[in-house]
Amino acid sequence: MSKSLQAIRGMNDILPEQTPLWRYFENTVARLLDNYGYKQIRMPIVEFTELFKRSIGEVTDIVEKEMYTFEDRNGDSLTLRPEGTAACVRAVLEHGLTGAGQPQKLWYIGPMFRHERPQKGRYRQFHQIGLEVFNIEGPDIDAELIVLTWRLWGLLGIRDAVKLELNSLGTSESRGRYKVALVEYLSAHLDKLDEDSQRRLKTNPLRVLDTKNADTQAVLVDAPKMADYLDDESRAHFEGLKARLDAAGIPFVINTKLVRGLDYYSKTVFEWVTDKLGAQGTVCAGGRYDGLVEQMGGKPTTGVGFAMGIERLILLLETLEQVPEAISRQVDVYLCAFGEAAELAALALSEKVRDQLPNLRLQVNAGAGSFKSQFKKADKSGALYALILGDDELAQQVIGFKPLRGQGEQQNIAFDALAAHLATCVVQG
Ligand code: ATP
Ligand code: MG
């Protein structure tokens, strides 16, 4: 017996009842980013595997065990993108967008793929909106990235539910000195570290800092702190950022264990976290990656960016019941027509109305049907008004106008006056 066809585990359909919330979210972000002067870029979903190995780092969770990698028909190793920064940097270099030190403020949106254990807030295909800024090296731009996310949380009504955590990882030199001290300390307590941390101690020691293991966490209490190893430049940068966040009135906490899962970060790293979603609490995360472009073969070019997880933010909006009611109503007016002659007239009339009111959400009944069944559909559509066209109305060149949500009386409107009348009673987006 053949198995019924199903989507791949961890890869979800976003159903019609959910898409209004997605579009509301995406449109809110897009408008905000336009207003701050960011330009959208769209990269392919598949890239050469080498790109992610070189940028994200070989000894990271993503590259070690989460990538969807396959050989294509030419024998090339390709990977479904697990994140957006690598491809964005590749595109920027390939098209010379940052040549001669030119600043770029870019954003992208789209699906990402990671072979993780699916659970609430963690999927194998998920969606991110990401920002990347090149060739602006001061803390002012780090602050702008945070300020605009703060504004976004305000627009979405979720400010009270998220908290900003900040850390500085220094330059690669100061981080190198810190790593030596950390490895020395942890090696002296090797027997108290969990297995994963023992392995990471050799491959990627900073990652030990974000262990979830309680015994290892106890060891970390007295471990050396990155803050004590910061070089002067990184320290000044971090102070500059904190001063700007204070000036903007944005609360934050310093989390010295915040290291982020990717190799390429330097100086500023940050996460917006919530305690409303259980274990999957990070809704937006990023930082500075001043060495990445050069590491990928470009001229020295500073970079800073972040990505937010759309599924987690949608979940948060639903959990906090911050879903605006208006977004689920997608029809303003529903037109019912009875009989062939009325249907023909309704088509001509509705197209004329659309010419005059291009933003009107007008649904014309399709599939004929009795009075009762068409009214039922009109009501179910969520429309505010029904328009009724039968032989009697047609003979008089009028159309019945019926409020469906208790706002006023039914009346007949002349064909010629319909658009003007609708304009007065329907707010057009
Ligand atoms: P986590 O620690 O939760 O695994 P991460 O550090 O791997 O997150 P990033 O690579 O920084 O995540 O991605 C930025 C954001 O994308 C995360 O903060 C989160 O909101 C979202 N995200 C990451 N992985 C997933 C996933 N598998 N499913 C849903 N959202 C995700
Ligand atoms: Mg992860």
Side-chain angles (χ1 to χ4, degrees):
M1 222 172 66
S2 69
K3 243 178 89 186
S4 62
L5 294 171
Q6 286 185 336
I8 296 164
R9 194 163 115 81
M11 303 201 180
N12 300 315
D13 298 306
I14 298 161
L15 297 175
E17 65 187 45
Q18 302 167 296
T19 49
L21 183 53
W22 279 72
R23 288 181 57 181
Y24 156 72
F25 177 81
E26 291 163 359
N27 293 340
T28 305
V29 180
R31 206 169 325 120
L32 179 83
L33 295 178
D34 283 347
N35 294 350
Y36 275 87
Y38 288 72
K39 295 199 174 118
Q40 193 184 20
I41 182 168
R42 303 187 186 203
M43 299 82 66
I45 286 171
V46 188
E47 298 271 353
F48 288 116
T49 304
E50 188 58 24
L51 173 70
F52 302 112
K53 288 195 174 166
R54 259 171 67 184
S55 58
I56 299 172
E58 301 255 11
V59 218
T60 54
D61 284 352
I62 291 182
V63 173
E64 275 185 337
K65 51 190 192 203
E66 294 175 0
M67 295 207 303
Y68 279 90
T69 297
F70 60 96
E71 225 175 65
D72 81 349
R73 289 170 194 275
N74 308 327
D76 292 322
S77 179
L78 307 183
T79 293
L80 297 182
R81 63 182 183 194
E83 54 103 58
T85 305
C88 186
V89 169
R90 197 252 328 124
V92 157
L93 286 177
E94 192 168 332
H95 301 285
L97 302 187
T98 55
Q102 189 189 342
Q104 284 289 350
K105 304 207 300 186
L106 304 174
W107 72 279
Y108 54 82
I109 178 170
M112 307 292 161
F113 302 84
R114 298 184 194 176
H115 197 275
E116 305 199 68
R117 194 168 69 77
Q119 52 199 291
K120 183 181 169 196
R122 190 175 296 283
Y123 311 100
R124 290 180 173 173
Q125 174 175 329
F126 61 99
H127 298 78
Q128 289 183 336
I129 292 179
L131 274 70
E132 315 290 351
V133 179
F134 299 98
N135 282 325
I136 304 180
E137 64 182 329
D140 50 352
I141 194 70
D142 305 27
E144 178 172 284
L145 291 176
I146 291 171
V147 165
L148 71 84
T149 47
W150 177 246
R151 178 164 297 281
L152 178 63
W153 312 146
L155 291 171
L156 296 171
I158 57 174
R159 252 188 202 171
D160 293 342
V162 291
K163 199 177 73 175
L164 175 62
E165 299 193 350
L166 276 187
N167 194 19
S168 176
L169 300 179
T171 58
S172 65
E173 295 76 40
S174 60
R175 197 162 57 254
R177 282 196 300 280
Y178 172 61
K179 265 188 209 170
V180 171
L182 183 68
V183 169
E184 192 181 339
Y185 171 85
L186 292 175
S187 301
H189 299 83
L190 197 60
D191 52 326
K192 295 194 204 90
L193 302 184
D194 62 283
E195 215 175 291
D196 232 19
S197 296
Q198 292 191 3
R199 190 176 56 84
R200 282 176 167 162
L201 185 57
K202 296 203 187 70
T203 56
N204 194 350
L206 287 186
R207 291 287 280 156
V208 177
L209 294 177
D210 63 8
T211 180
K212 302 274 183 295
N213 181 282
D215 296 332
T216 305
Q217 281 176 346
V219 173
L220 286 172
V221 171
D222 294 320
K225 302 275 178 288
M226 182 65 222
D228 300 323
Y229 289 79
L230 275 190
D231 51 287
D232 291 343
E233 184 197 327
S234 299
R235 194 183 304 277
H237 188 99
F238 200 35
E239 291 308 317
L241 171 59
K242 289 190 274 186
R244 283 167 176 80
L245 296 179
D246 285 338
I250 300 178
F252 58 88
V253 293
I254 307 289
N255 175 358
T256 55
K257 293 196 186 126
L258 186 64
V259 290
R260 311 281 308 116
L262 295 81
D263 268 0
Y264 50 57
Y265 288 110
S266 56
K267 293 185 178 161
T268 311
V269 287
F270 66 90
E271 290 193 357
W272 287 99
V273 294
T274 178
D275 56 11
K276 303 282 188 287
L277 296 180
Q280 273 52 252
T282 305
V283 293
C284 174
R288 186 162 273 281
Y289 49 84
D290 289 344
L292 181 63
V293 175
E294 206 176 352
Q295 180 187 316
M296 288 174 65
K299 289 202 207 83
T301 302
T302 65
V304 57
F306 69 74
M308 58 182 105
I310 302 184
E311 281 82 356
R312 290 185 193 176
L313 285 159
I314 296 276
L315 271 171
L316 190 56
L317 289 172
E318 289 170 339
T319 306
L320 300 173
E321 296 180 0
Q322 289 293 341
V323 179
E325 223 163 281
I327 64 168
S328 53
R329 195 175 56 74
Q330 293 189 295
V331 179
D332 297 319
V333 180
Y334 192 102
L335 195 163
C336 309
F338 305 96
E340 177 79 3
E343 280 187 17
L344 295 179
L347 178 59
L349 180 60
S350 61
E351 287 304 307
K352 224 181 242 159
V353 167
R354 289 187 210 279
D355 287 342
Q356 290 172 269
L357 303 175
N359 293 325
L360 182 73
R361 297 177 304 177
L362 169 61
Q363 187 166 327
V364 178
N365 184 74
S370 65
F371 254 108
K372 201 171 152 201
S373 83
Q374 291 201 34
F375 268 133
K376 222 176 181 173
K377 286 197 269 178
D379 190 47
K380 223 175 137 201
S381 76
L384 297 174
Y385 303 98
L387 295 173
I388 301 145
L389 190 59
D391 289 338
D392 290 351
E393 288 85 3
L394 187 55
Q396 300 171 52
Q397 296 285 291
V398 297
I399 191 161
F401 174 87
K402 181 176 164 60
L404 293 174
R405 319 276 155 206
Q407 60 300 39
E409 295 298 305
Q410 180 165 348
Q411 54 180 302
N412 283 340
I413 312 271
F415 282 2
D416 289 345
L418 181 60
H421 183 74
L422 290 174
T424 63
C425 49
V426 178
V427 182
Q428 297 177 62

